[in-house]
Amino acid sequence: MQSFGLNPANQHIQSPPLWLLAELTYRCPLQCPYCSNPVDFARSGEELSTVQWIDVFKQARALGAAQLGFSGGEPLVRQDLAELVKAARDLGFYTNLITSGIGLTERRITELSEAGLDHIQISFQAADEEVNNMLAGSKKAFAQKLAMARAVKAQGYPMVLNFVTHRHNIDRIDRIIELCVELDADFVELATCQFYGWAELNRAALLPTREQLEYAEGVTQQWREKLAAQNHPCKLIFVTPDYYEERPKACMSGWGSLFLDITPDGTALPCHSARQLPIEFPNVKEHSVQHIWQESFGFNKYRGFEWMPEPCRSCDEKEQDFGGCRCQAYMLTGDASNADPVCSKSKHHGIILAAREEAEQAPLGVDSMIFRNEKMSNIIIKG
């Protein structure tokens, strides 16, 4: 039986990293203004090699990791993707590809299927071709996504679609769901934009109003009832943005609890966005996955409850939300130890209220948006 080491911050047996995310590359042919990649991704070091990635998979599996997601950037940019999938499947992982569909072909779907890939999720920017292509920065993106969604379904995979919704497409939620039904989708994530990475830069242009959000939730519920009455298998998952909640989410089920993210250059993170924090996180090129997960400072920094200041420390909800998101606390207050400002108990909750008010006043144009690409990332780095 696998034994797990002591967590030095809390002196208890640390659970394994059940969910491993392999961010294979920051390269991407699209330039979505809400990309979760760090805004300074252009300074990232050399990508891990095929051999290095497979070694990471072996180490994580030995610790107890069970699910492995391949993401990016666009993971299809990696020509060794099928080799990585096969290695992961041979180790016993359940494997998931998170892709824009750009770079996917019927031949490549077959290749990935033969390698043992279990699941493919394709993302769309909108149900309207013009809006989709504008946000993606590609005139061919929408047609490619439609073709590949159908091809994935034709090859026997469940149809899993993701739409990031925001103030420029959420009013068309009815058409979005209609398109998903036309594509015979099995699962649809209607993920209202969360504000990290590039989305945080573009928050004023992307955050929907409360009226828009309530309308979209209402339409989604109507569709759920309609689909249920037809005994239709499509499941609609609506994700509310943090900025319209009064309690924070239990981010990643707690810091360093279940989720392990490995970035393209091998930096290990407890969540997608943690790289922005003023913490030096370990790298798999220098440390074992076991050391990183069980012993490293970065992964133990916010584990458990001892680190919490008030009002979190004495809150009777802390075991449900773990104080919320450390990255959001840092972005909005400058101190990652603070209570997530999403929480109405936080002394910084006014920041969230102000953002909601700003959304009510913001124009609907897209002219002010900063699009995610290497040129803009370099501009941001140079400051």
Side-chain angles (χ1 to χ4, degrees):
M1 174 181 287
Q2 174 70 50
S3 63
F4 302 103
L6 288 177
N7 178 332
N10 299 295
Q11 296 297 301
H12 68 264
I13 301 300
Q14 179 58 45
S15 60
L18 297 177
W19 213 117
L20 174 65
L21 183 68
E23 293 188 276
L24 299 180
T25 181
Y26 285 143
R27 291 174 288 159
C28 184
L30 304 185
Q31 55 176 12
C32 306
Y34 48 75
C35 181
S36 63
N37 288 166
V39 296
D40 62 350
F41 71 84
R43 75 163 92 227
S44 180
E46 185 178 350
E47 292 176 8
L48 295 181
S49 68
T50 307
V51 171
Q52 287 172 319
W53 272 118
I54 292 174
D55 184 52
V56 168
F57 300 164
K58 290 177 179 177
Q59 293 184 59
R61 185 72 179 128
L63 275 179
Q67 181 164 330
L68 172 53
F70 295 98
S71 75
E74 174 48 67
L76 288 165
V77 171
R78 292 279 301 221
Q79 296 306 303
D80 59 352
L81 180 57
E83 184 177 352
L84 294 175
V85 168
K86 184 178 187 307
R89 183 57 181 269
D90 288 347
L91 288 167
F93 279 104
Y94 179 90
T95 53
N96 175 31
L97 174 64
I98 304 164
T99 176
S100 68
I102 308 302
L104 199 59
T105 62
E106 291 187 21
R107 180 192 63 78
R108 206 155 186 204
I109 296 171
T110 299
E111 181 182 50
L112 291 169
S113 177
E114 291 174 349
L117 184 67
D118 293 295
H119 178 282
I120 299 175
Q121 174 187 292
I122 295 180
S123 64
F124 279 77
Q125 282 71 30
D128 174 89
E129 182 170 15
E130 182 178 354
V131 175
N132 186 100
N133 291 348
M134 180 274 294
L135 291 169
S138 167
K139 294 180 179 179
K140 299 178 180 179
F142 188 70
Q144 169 70 6
K145 290 171 183 290
L146 287 178
M148 289 304 100
R150 294 184 176 111
V152 165
K153 184 76 174 185
Q155 294 214 28
Y157 281 103
M159 171 66 69
V160 183
L161 302 179
N162 171 270
F163 280 80
V164 176
T165 59
H166 43 79
R167 66 187 296 121
H168 301 292
N169 66 5
I170 199 167
D171 293 333
R172 299 296 309 279
I173 194 78
D174 188 68
R175 176 55 192 146
I176 287 173
I177 298 173
E178 186 177 55
L179 175 61
C180 293
V181 174
E182 290 172 4
L183 290 171
D184 201 19
D186 296 284
F187 297 93
V188 179
E189 184 178 25
L190 303 165
T192 313
C193 199
Q194 305 287 4
F195 294 96
Y196 303 92
W198 294 83
E200 196 273 332
L201 282 183
N202 292 301
R203 189 184 73 197
L206 293 172
L207 182 64
T209 64
R210 182 178 293 279
E211 182 181 8
Q212 285 182 304
L213 186 65
E214 290 176 348
Y215 168 77
E217 287 183 301
V219 170
T220 301
Q221 184 57 33
Q222 290 171 11
W223 269 99
R224 286 177 179 142
E225 293 169 1
K226 178 180 178 180
L227 293 170
Q230 299 172 354
N231 200 29
H232 195 287
C234 182
K235 305 298 182 186
L236 303 176
I237 302 168
F238 190 94
V239 181
T240 303
D242 290 357
Y243 279 58
Y244 286 100
E245 299 283 8
E246 296 303 316
R247 290 291 183 272
K249 61 179 177 287
C251 192
M252 300 301 166
S253 298
W255 181 277
S257 176
L258 299 174
F259 184 83
L260 172 61
D261 178 25
I262 307 297
T263 67
D265 66 4
T267 301
L269 303 173
C271 80
H272 313 71
S273 301
R275 197 165 192 162
Q276 69 187 297
L277 298 178
I279 297 172
E280 185 174 349
F281 287 102
N283 193 294
V284 297
K285 296 174 185 174
E286 301 163 357
H287 302 282
S288 70
V289 174
Q290 180 175 359
H291 168 84
I292 288 168
W293 184 253
Q294 296 176 355
E295 302 174 37
S296 70
F297 172 81
F299 276 76
N300 281 293
K301 175 68 172 173
Y302 298 112
R303 273 183 174 142
F305 308 106
E306 293 302 314
W307 61 270
M308 290 182 173
E310 296 294 350
C312 297
R313 179 181 288 268
S314 59
C315 180
D316 60 4
E317 298 177 74
K318 67 183 181 184
E319 294 187 23
Q320 283 76 54
D321 61 34
F322 308 102
C325 176
R326 298 304 88 225
C327 299
Q328 200 150 251
Y330 177 72
M331 285 189 298
L332 297 179
T333 76
D335 185 346
S337 296
N338 283 329
D340 188 334
V342 164
C343 185
S344 63
K345 298 180 183 181
S346 166
K347 65 181 180 181
H348 300 288
H349 188 58
I351 297 171
I352 298 297
L353 300 180
R356 296 176 192 172
E357 181 63 28
E358 182 183 21
E360 297 292 337
Q361 308 300 325
L364 286 173
V366 298
D367 294 342
S368 63
M369 285 201 295
I370 301 170
F371 287 85
R372 178 247 193 247
N373 54 58
E374 189 166 358
K375 178 181 178 182
M376 184 55 66
S377 181
N378 277 311
I379 291 173
I380 292 169
I381 291 168
K382 292 174 183 177

